[in-house]
Amino acid sequence: MQDYQDIRQDMRATVEARRDLGPEYETALIESFVARLDATIAHRVRAEMHAAGAPKARSRKGNSGIPIALGSMGIGIPLTAIAAETSGTAGLLLAWGGIVAINFAHALSRWRERD
């Protein structure tokens, strides 16, 4: 219940400050109050999650390379046929160069996340 009292006091102080400072400071005062209110709510949510034994959020480091690999194969097969038929070897090399570049960029970003 202490949080409710703190919020009420903050709101009263914000309204009093608005009366003292005038309407030109209204936006700043409201934003300040909302920021304090957000922090209070976030603190409550964390406390309730901790009390309930909820697991902490963890980063997604699983096998995120699998969708990229499967997507590359799924796109690569029809792209190979289209590029080879319409542009010949140059189109084929360009298409697969793009696929390799995307896979390389993904692998590089995962490598940087580990460090």
Side-chain angles (χ1 to χ4, degrees):
M1 288 299 172
Q2 182 63 31
D3 286 339
Y4 292 117
Q5 293 299 327
D6 292 342
I7 292 170
R8 286 186 178 119
Q9 289 174 349
D10 280 349
M11 184 61 170
R12 286 185 190 112
T14 301
V15 170
E16 288 297 321
R18 197 271 184 202
R19 285 184 193 144
D20 292 343
L21 298 173
E24 57 271 3
Y25 290 98
E26 185 172 304
T27 302
L29 291 168
I30 290 172
E31 288 175 1
S32 174
F33 175 75
V34 169
R36 291 190 308 267
L37 185 61
D38 283 344
T40 302
I41 291 170
H43 176 71
R44 283 186 194 170
V45 168
R46 281 193 300 271
E48 287 179 18
M49 288 179 66
H50 180 70
K56 291 185 178 180
R58 53 188 168 141
S59 62
R60 296 179 57 200
K61 290 189 178 182
N63 290 327
S64 66
I66 291 176
I68 297 291
L70 292 175
S72 295
M73 289 175 61
I75 291 172
I77 292 170
L79 197 57
T80 299
I82 294 168
E85 185 176 323
T86 59
S87 301
T89 305
L92 184 65
L93 291 175
L94 182 64
W96 276 99
I99 292 171
V100 168
I102 290 170
N103 280 281
F104 181 75
H106 177 71
L108 185 61
S109 71
R110 288 192 48 147
W111 180 69
R112 286 185 177 168
E113 286 177 1
R114 290 182 189 158
D115 292 339

